[in-house]
Amino acid sequence: MAQADLLERIYFGLCAVLAVAGAIGTVAFPNPIRGALSLLFSIVAIAGLYLQLHAPFLAAIQLIVYAGAVVVLFLFVIMLIGPDAIPPKDSRALVARVTGGIAGTAISLLVIMVLSRKTFPRIAPIQAAYGSVESIGELLFTDYLVPFEVSSFLLMVAIVGAVAVARGKQPDPQLTKKPDADVAPAAEERGAS
Amino acid sequence: MEHNLFAKPDDWFLLGIILGLPLYGAFFNGVFGKRFGRNMVRAVGVGTVGLSFLTAIFTFLQLHKLHHHAEAAAKTAWLAANQGKTLPAELPVASSKLSWFAWKWMSMATAGGDGRLAIDVKFSVDELSGVMMLVVTGVGFLIHLYASSYMAKDPGYHRFFAYLNLFIFSMLTLVLADNLPVLFVGWEGVGACSYLLIGFWFDKAENAAAGRKAFIANRIGDVGMLAGMLLIGYYLGALDWDGINHNADKLLDPAARIAIWQSSGKIITISAATAATLALFLGCTGKSAQIPLYVWLPDAMAGPTPVSALIHAATMVTSGIYLICRLNVVFALSPFTMMIISITGALTALFAATIGLVQNDIKKVLAYSTVSQLGFMFLGVGVGAFGMGFFHVFTHAFFKACLFLGAGSVIHAMHARVHDDVASQDMRNMGGMRKYMPWTYAAMGASTLAIAGFPLTSGFFSKDGILFKTWGNEVVHPYVATAKSLLELPECKANAAAPKCVAANNVLHAYWQAPPWLGKVLFAIGILAATMTAFYMFRLVFKTFWGEFKGWKVDESIKLATNPFENVEPLEDGDVSYGLATTTHGHDAHGSDEHETTDPRDLIEGERAPDHAHDHHDHHHEDLTVPAAPPAEAPWQMTVPVAILGAFALFAGFLYAEALHIEPIGHWLAPVFDDVVGKTVTMSEAAHHLEWPLMVPGVLAALIGSGLAYVWYVQQNEEPAKKLAAEWPRLHRAAYNKWYVDEIYEATVIGGADALADGAALMDAWIVDGILAKLTALVVSAFGAILRAFQTGVVHVYSAFVAVGTLGLVLFFVRPHPDATVAKEGDTYTLEAAPGIGYEYKWDVDGQADKEFVTGEPALKRTVQVPLDGTKKVTLEVKNSFGRTASHTFTLTNPKPAPVPTTTVAMPGAAPRPPAGH
Amino acid sequence: MIPIPAFLVLAGILFGIGAVGFLVRRNVLVALMSIELMLNAINLTFVAFNRSFPNQHTGQVISFFVIAIAAAEAAVGLAIVLSFFRLRKTVRSDSADLLKN
């Protein structure tokens, strides 16, 4: 038993360290590519933590969606932007940044302080099906059907929106057509009086 | 009682007709006059006043009947009470009155009296206002008739009659009012009409300025009038004549004294009576042109002559004396004010006479003579001769109106050829007019005799009556009068040491009294002024009517048409003529009419009347060496009123010839002044005997003045006058320039007002605009600048703010809050803790502590009993869902309530009446 | 058995790092990645709390939806970043200050 315990702790510690290191890397690296890769490490570590929390389905989803899609998307965009993704350093709005930093740190410290005192009753043992694909899937299609469908709708909207925003403006030949010759004088007349 | 149509003396609606007819005339002429033309305007304007006069006569006759009845009743009552004795010559008669209640106006709550002061629109006629009413409507009618011809060519004819009718209405309101507020309405109305009529030809700036000056001087006086009214209303609780006369004693209350000076322990107080009467007198000086507010009257000659005659001779300027006569009971309460009035009157009389001595404009001489005569009237009422002072009003109306109208006829005749406004009124251009204008000469001569005070004329009786009473009258404080009468009682004559006799003795010298020599001094001043009056009035007559005509070369063979109503232009609204309209004269008397086109009327309106070529007086100078027709006698509409007034001037004196004991007016007015004359205003027996001897100085004054004028102006052809003017040029110039009073006012009062206005403008520009406006703008923009700094447009900065805000929220939620509300009911305190999510509560009530944290409803409330003046402690400890705890201690006390004070409020109200009955 | 507060503290640390990173870094790409980090921390919190309820999966389902929405949001956000970059030729968020004052 102690060995299982120890293994658990080592595993937890590894994942935790990896997650934190990845997080720090995300925010610290000036080069966003390195930041994205750090994020990847962090996400993978969190997936590992999910596994420890008996949420295998979620861990799989995390890896597929986050690591496999979101981070890849980030990398695509960074590479699309190119070298300008690393802007030169300047110290604009230092005050705001420092204030923000301090506020953020304070918030997180408080939250940590609060959460760390929380006492939980003895954790009950769970069944094997806990957190499995079947159980979550069943929930998704019964109790949480509406949010499920709505989120699919949301994803479609997001796709359309992303395409529309990212496409940028192209001159529309319809809009740039010259006005008709016989329409113009009437407008001029009306405008002159 | 009476079986006629108008039975009820307290609902005499004819008063409404007397008032309403001129008002209707004003309305009609003002609104429809232009449309209906001159004939209609004339008919309505003159006719309404004429009808009003007839109604006034009828009313007066009815009043006379009532008075007669009252006299008879008094006689029978006296005979019944005093069997077998003979009737005394003078018996006190109650005053009779016809009144008409038009409508309720307002009622105010007052602190004293019976709590409500009702002010109603109510009109009444008694003996005093009856005479005044007849004068206003009668003389007014004659002047309307005169003006219908005098103003015949004026394009503002309808406007003139509208204003004139409105004036009659306002003056009647003043005279027929039954209380002070309605009188004040009339007071202001005549002031407004005076302004409108003085500035009738308003295109000339000086006419408009004269109108303004009159109105403003009047308004300054009105401040005093209002103050006096308020004081009377406050102390007496009544503003109508009956109420005032009844309650007048309250003004003398020792509690009603007003402190006017306080310094280091010494307080000077005046009685409320003195304060109120002085304030009212200020109003009188404004309206009746006394020192210091007389300056508007000479300038008012800028108006048409009928206006000068009506307003500034006969009626409006006499309002002040009317007011004093009406409130004689109140004025007699303050011997100090009476002294001020008499001194002011005498000084004004003298002062104005000195100015009138050297004027050349015929109307200005008459204006200063009016101011001087008004001074005489005030002198009369100031020494307590109310009846005689009012009689002088009566006679003055006749002779002064006659003089003004006559002067108007003369000016009218001069205007035929002398078109300049100033030159046609200058006496140096006149002379020898008695040949050409015999009727006018006769009437003006008669009036001059009257104003100078020749024996047996009306002016003689009234002026000499005033001067006699100035010498002999004594005005005493009512308490002193009561004390004196007490000391005359047989018991005090027998035993002078009785307590009430001693008290009466002390009162004798406790109240202020005018020095006994004052009457003599004022008499001397009056005689001096009378001498000057005779002199300058005869100077006027001699310069105008005697000697050689200096206006233009006269060819006696050319005759003028005298119909004033031919060849008149259509009426124009809001338009002016430039002075007097001319009489028609043959158009061949002029050469060709080459006319300039800078017609000021063109600048006012676009259209010109078709044929007014001859009315451009200032642009068109005739060649006066070309012989032309002589100055013409005025048409009958102008001459007849002048003649009628002249006749009255000569013979009206016998209505109150006191020396001859022919006193119909004296007897008639006696009921109005009975409360005062004989009681606080007395004349000693010794002084009574001086009546005939004191006439001698008056007659001498008239003879010396007129004689000197004759010698200088007829025999020696003005040489002595010119020599005197050359020897004392500065004195002559000072008198000619009215002793520079206007300039002094300009420099001091008006300059002060201007400086104040300039200062206020400066303050407005610097302080209000500069500091206040700019400062507030600065503050707002500063705030804006600060707030704008937060709007960086960068999302990250905004999110930093969000983070800070969230931090605040997190802090709030992380800490537990042991809040509780405390409610007190009698001696029981209820504490209710504020609910929170996941909160647990632990109470400690006065030493009794809960064992553990509890959640749910019962944990929220706790009650505690706190005895009176005791203290208890309650502690609340909370734990939130994060496991953090906090506690708060409540200290509850129950103090004794403060004792309730008993209140004693002193109610202001009617002070106790004086001990000596009045 | 790892006590659940450990997970919570870890999630708190991750959230803090993400928050500070978002507030301090002005590179929009890094900001977006910090947002993803914060969302992950939230997910971890939910799942950790859920662990104490043996019969419910509410927390995990919530996390599931959060992941889906985070993905959508990342897509749209990156599209916006691309447009912004095309306009301003930079990825500093300070340049997006047209709303200044």
Side-chain angles (χ1 to χ4, degrees):
Chain A
M1 240 0 172
Q3 198 162 18
D5 240 355
L6 188 62
L7 272 175
E8 274 194 27
R9 286 198 196 158
I10 291 174
Y11 181 74
F12 174 76
L14 220 59
C15 289
V17 166
L18 193 59
V20 172
I24 293 176
T26 309
V27 304
F29 281 121
N31 190 344
I33 295 222
R34 295 198 185 154
L37 290 174
S38 305
L39 185 66
L40 184 63
F41 279 126
S42 188
I43 285 171
V44 169
I46 290 177
L49 288 169
Y50 286 163
L51 280 177
Q52 192 168 33
L53 284 169
H54 295 279
F57 176 65
L58 216 52
I61 296 294
Q62 170 99 343
L63 284 174
I64 297 170
V65 174
Y66 252 120
V70 175
V71 175
V72 171
L73 189 56
F74 265 105
L75 286 170
F76 274 146
V77 171
I78 292 168
M79 286 190 267
L80 204 57
I81 288 176
D84 287 322
I86 314 172
K89 255 186 192 289
D90 60 57
S91 57
R92 275 190 287 186
L94 198 61
V95 173
R97 293 161 76 179
V98 168
T99 316
I102 292 174
T105 316
I107 291 175
S108 50
L109 281 176
L110 276 170
V111 167
I112 292 165
M113 193 176 61
V114 163
L115 289 178
S116 64
R117 302 250 182 101
K118 187 81 178 148
T119 54
F120 284 88
R122 198 175 171 284
I123 300 170
I126 45 176
Q127 298 116 337
Y130 184 79
S132 66
V133 180
E134 293 92 349
S135 43
I136 304 247
E138 192 183 330
L139 275 178
L140 279 180
F141 283 100
T142 53
D143 290 337
Y144 299 101
L145 182 62
V146 174
F148 183 71
E149 299 300 332
V150 169
S151 66
S152 64
F153 182 67
L154 175 80
L155 284 168
M156 192 190 75
V157 167
I159 291 170
V160 172
V163 168
V165 171
R167 190 162 71 137
K169 280 210 165 77
Q170 277 150 30
D172 188 350
Q174 199 71 353
L175 288 174
T176 53
K177 190 172 75 173
K178 279 211 172 51
D180 285 342
D182 46 59
V183 173
E188 268 174 54
E189 270 175 11
R190 248 180 283 121
S193 63
Chain B
M1 181 171 72
E2 298 292 323
H3 294 290
N4 57 21
L5 274 173
F6 309 96
K8 289 189 284 192
D10 54 351
D11 189 24
W12 193 256
F13 67 89
L14 283 184
L15 289 179
I17 295 188
I18 296 175
L19 285 161
L21 278 171
L23 184 64
Y24 170 72
F27 169 74
F28 182 86
N29 279 333
V31 175
F32 301 115
K34 193 159 101 160
R35 201 182 315 161
F36 280 100
R38 285 174 202 264
N39 288 328
M40 181 60 102
V41 167
R42 196 172 358 123
V44 170
V46 180
T48 50
V49 179
L51 281 176
S52 193
F53 178 51
L54 290 176
T55 319
I57 291 180
F58 182 79
T59 306
F60 188 82
L61 289 175
Q62 186 62 23
L63 191 67
H64 184 83
K65 221 189 291 196
L66 280 181
H67 181 91
H68 198 68
H69 279 292
E71 252 181 38
K75 280 202 185 119
T76 27
W78 194 90
L79 281 175
N82 302 286
Q83 302 277 2
K85 302 198 199 153
T86 50
L87 271 176
E90 296 274 350
L91 202 61
V93 176
S95 170
S96 355
K97 188 154 111 157
L98 294 169
S99 62
W100 179 58
F101 182 90
W103 65 85
K104 246 164 90 83
W105 191 359
M106 53 177 148
S107 86
M108 301 189 286
T110 53
D114 54 353
R116 290 216 81 82
L117 174 60
I119 301 177
D120 302 320
V121 176
K122 190 170 170 200
F123 300 100
S124 65
V125 207
D126 70 346
E127 286 88 354
L128 181 68
S129 43
V131 175
M132 198 71 190
M133 170 180 71
L134 284 179
V135 167
V136 170
T137 47
V139 176
F141 169 70
L142 290 173
I143 295 180
H144 273 72
L145 183 60
Y146 179 96
S148 69
S149 159
Y150 188 83
M151 303 290 289
K153 289 249 195 286
D154 196 299
Y157 197 65
H158 59 294
R159 193 163 53 99
F160 183 79
F161 272 98
Y163 290 160
L164 212 61
N165 277 355
L166 191 64
F167 171 80
I168 295 282
F169 166 72
S170 307
M171 190 68 204
L172 283 172
T173 307
L174 197 158
V175 165
L176 294 176
D178 190 53
N179 52 41
L180 269 172
V182 178
L183 183 142
F184 192 64
V185 169
W187 188 273
E188 293 292 325
V190 296
C193 292
S194 168
Y195 161 76
L196 289 169
L197 284 164
I198 292 173
F200 185 68
W201 293 310
F202 53 80
D203 66 334
K204 276 205 181 151
E206 56 259 26
N207 298 344
R212 266 203 311 273
K213 188 170 177 180
F215 193 75
I216 292 177
N218 265 318
R219 279 312 266 162
I220 297 176
D222 288 346
V223 170
M225 177 82 179
L226 271 173
M229 234 196 327
L230 290 173
L231 283 168
I232 287 181
Y234 177 76
Y235 284 109
L236 303 185
L239 284 172
D240 56 306
W241 313 137
D242 284 341
I244 291 177
N245 287 344
H246 195 66
N247 292 316
D249 295 337
K250 291 196 192 144
L251 282 172
L252 287 179
D253 264 331
R257 294 193 75 87
I258 300 173
I260 53 172
W261 184 264
Q262 290 184 335
S263 74
S264 61
K266 186 169 153 69
I267 298 182
I268 302 181
T269 60
I270 55 173
S271 70
T274 309
T277 48
L278 278 178
L280 285 172
F281 181 58
L282 182 65
C284 296
T285 60
K287 187 67 75 184
S288 299
Q290 297 296 291
I291 293 173
L293 293 172
Y294 70 92
V295 290
W296 62 271
L297 191 56
D299 281 22
M301 296 300 115
T305 311
V307 169
S308 307
L310 183 59
I311 300 186
H312 309 125
T315 46
M316 181 179 107
V317 293
T318 55
S319 322
I321 296 106
Y322 173 74
L323 182 72
I324 297 184
C325 288
R326 172 57 72 202
L327 291 177
N328 59 76
V329 175
V330 175
F331 276 91
L333 292 174
S334 170
F336 180 74
T337 308
M338 298 288 271
M339 181 189 80
I340 296 287
I341 296 177
S342 55
I343 292 180
T344 307
L347 286 179
T348 309
L350 187 62
F351 187 75
T354 58
I355 303 180
L357 284 177
V358 296
Q359 298 297 318
N360 284 320
D361 184 331
I362 192 174
K363 280 178 78 171
K364 283 273 185 346
V365 175
L366 292 176
Y368 284 107
S369 127
T370 305
V371 176
S372 182
Q373 294 300 306
L374 288 168
F376 270 104
M377 293 177 217
F378 275 100
L379 174 63
V381 296
V383 295
F386 296 105
M388 197 51 89
F390 185 72
F391 184 58
H392 197 62
V393 168
F394 185 73
T395 59
H396 176 264
F398 294 120
F399 59 67
K400 192 46 66 62
C402 173
L403 284 167
F404 264 110
L405 294 185
S409 299
V410 169
I411 296 171
H412 189 91
M414 291 291 291
H415 246 284
R417 291 206 77 202
V418 181
H419 299 306
D420 181 48
D421 278 340
V422 175
S424 58
Q425 295 178 265
D426 197 327
M427 288 194 289
R428 296 173 288 194
N429 293 336
M430 304 177 190
M433 299 286 252
R434 61 181 166 157
K435 247 190 325 217
Y436 307 118
M437 309 180 72
W439 285 100
T440 309
Y441 169 62
M444 283 189 75
S447 304
T448 309
L449 287 173
I451 195 175
F454 263 70
L456 300 187
T457 56
S458 61
F460 167 72
F461 285 115
S462 60
K463 202 190 299 197
D464 265 35
I466 287 178
L467 288 174
F468 166 55
K469 294 221 158 77
T470 306
W471 179 281
N473 260 3
E474 252 182 43
V475 179
V476 298
H477 196 273
Y479 290 175
V480 172
T482 319
K484 272 199 191 152
S485 60
L486 209 66
L487 287 174
E488 293 290 319
L489 288 179
E491 49 195 87
C492 271
K493 279 202 185 300
N495 175 18
K500 75 171 178 187
C501 303
V502 168
N505 225 332
N506 289 341
V507 171
L508 269 188
H509 303 287
Y511 289 97
W512 190 92
Q513 179 119 355
W517 47 262
L518 184 68
K520 323 316 190 234
V521 169
L522 291 178
F523 179 83
I525 296 180
I527 292 289
L528 190 59
T531 317
M532 289 190 194
T533 304
F535 177 79
Y536 67 69
M537 284 313 296
F538 272 98
R539 166 179 179 267
L540 183 147
V541 169
F542 293 143
K543 279 187 90 150
T544 308
F545 292 106
W546 291 46
E548 276 294 318
F549 181 57
K550 306 182 199 57
W552 60 79
K553 205 149 156 28
V554 171
D555 184 348
E556 308 248 346
S557 55
I558 307 177
K559 278 284 179 225
L560 289 183
T562 53
N563 183 345
F565 301 112
E566 279 177 9
N567 279 3
V568 293
E569 309 133 20
L571 292 170
E572 285 173 49
D573 233 355
D575 202 7
V576 298
S577 70
Y578 317 102
L580 207 13
T582 56
T583 50
T584 38
H585 50 275
H587 291 233
D588 38 318
H590 286 247
S592 63
D593 274 334
E594 63 292 324
H595 262 293
E596 72 307 317
T597 47
T598 52
D599 180 357
R601 246 194 293 194
D602 288 346
L603 298 173
I604 300 173
E605 286 179 347
E607 36 181 330
R608 292 171 64 135
D611 181 34
H612 61 264
H614 304 287
D615 290 350
H616 295 183
H617 306 297
D618 356 13
H619 302 288
H620 190 164
H621 290 287
E622 292 201 26
D623 187 0
L624 295 175
T625 56
V626 174
E633 178 67 271
W636 70 266
Q637 292 97 338
M638 288 165 60
T639 328
V640 165
V642 175
I644 294 179
L645 290 169
F648 265 97
L650 272 185
F651 300 118
F654 294 101
L655 285 172
Y656 198 175
E658 211 181 17
L660 304 177
H661 296 291
I662 308 171
E663 308 174 32
I665 282 194
H667 280 302
W668 173 255
L669 292 174
V672 181
F673 304 122
D674 257 345
D675 283 338
V676 164
V677 171
K679 299 199 177 68
T680 51
V681 173
T682 52
M683 189 184 286
S684 61
E685 276 302 317
H688 261 295
H689 293 311
L690 290 175
E691 184 155 16
W692 284 89
L694 282 175
M695 266 195 245
V696 171
V699 174
L700 276 181
L703 290 175
I704 293 178
S706 50
L708 198 64
Y710 182 77
V711 164
W712 279 20
Y713 286 95
V714 176
Q715 290 190 336
Q716 298 186 3
N717 202 14
E718 290 190 58
E719 288 306 322
K722 293 197 183 116
K723 224 167 25 144
L724 210 62
E727 274 175 35
W728 303 76
R730 293 242 291 270
L731 197 64
H732 180 257
R733 217 169 338 129
Y736 190 75
N737 286 327
K738 316 165 259 163
W739 301 108
Y740 301 114
V741 170
D742 274 325
E743 284 77 7
I744 294 175
Y745 278 171
E746 183 73 37
T748 53
V749 175
I750 300 176
D754 275 344
L756 199 66
D758 283 338
L762 210 68
M763 208 192 83
D764 181 54
W766 281 13
I767 296 180
V768 175
D769 277 351
I771 296 182
L772 285 180
K774 291 210 179 100
L775 195 68
T776 47
L778 206 68
V779 167
V780 171
S781 70
F783 268 111
I786 294 175
L787 288 173
R788 233 182 298 126
F790 289 116
Q791 306 294 321
T792 52
V794 180
V795 173
H796 271 98
V797 176
Y798 297 159
S799 52
F801 287 128
V802 170
V804 172
T806 312
L807 179 64
L809 273 175
V810 167
L811 276 170
F812 178 78
F813 279 113
V814 163
R815 295 170 74 241
H817 299 280
D819 296 329
T821 50
V822 180
K824 177 173 184 287
E825 229 173 271
D827 284 343
T828 314
Y829 280 85
T830 312
L831 292 102
E832 189 167 337
I837 301 175
Y839 268 40
E840 293 164 6
Y841 307 90
K842 190 154 83 164
W843 291 89
D844 178 356
V845 178
D846 199 30
Q848 286 188 328
D850 292 346
K851 298 258 186 342
E852 54 184 11
F853 283 95
V854 191
T855 58
E857 268 304 314
L860 289 176
K861 267 204 209 163
R862 289 286 185 275
T863 54
V864 138
Q865 290 281 350
V866 182
L868 221 58
D869 261 350
T871 328
K872 291 236 167 122
K873 278 198 171 39
V874 176
T875 310
L876 170 64
E877 201 176 337
V878 298
K879 182 155 87 164
N880 67 2
S881 52
F882 299 122
R884 305 170 66 77
T885 60
S887 72
H888 187 256
T889 307
F890 298 88
T891 312
L892 309 168
T893 56
N894 194 359
K896 266 215 199 80
V900 178
T902 57
T903 55
T904 49
V905 177
M907 302 296 291
R913 299 188 74 100
H918 188 75
Chain C
M1 192 60 246
I2 310 291
I4 295 187
F7 288 97
L8 297 177
V9 171
L10 175 63
I13 293 173
L14 288 174
F15 182 83
I17 296 172
V20 171
F22 176 78
L23 291 168
V24 172
R25 290 297 300 269
R26 286 304 156 96
N27 191 331
V28 295
L29 293 163
V30 175
L32 278 173
M33 288 193 277
S34 309
I35 293 175
E36 298 302 328
L37 200 54
M38 282 193 275
L39 286 168
N40 269 300
I42 302 295
N43 279 347
L44 186 59
T45 313
F46 273 120
V47 175
F49 271 114
N50 193 34
R51 181 68 182 78
S52 61
F53 297 100
N55 303 318
Q56 290 186 33
H57 296 91
T58 312
Q60 295 188 12
V61 171
I62 289 174
S63 292
F64 174 83
F65 285 118
V66 169
I67 291 175
I69 291 164
E73 173 237 330
V76 177
L78 285 167
I80 291 172
V81 167
L82 269 178
S83 294
F84 177 64
F85 176 73
R86 283 209 196 105
L87 206 59
R88 292 283 179 157
K89 298 289 178 275
T90 175
V91 289
R92 273 200 70 103
S93 70
D94 289 346
S95 308
D97 61 354
L98 284 177
L99 280 177
K100 192 175 163 84
N101 293 340

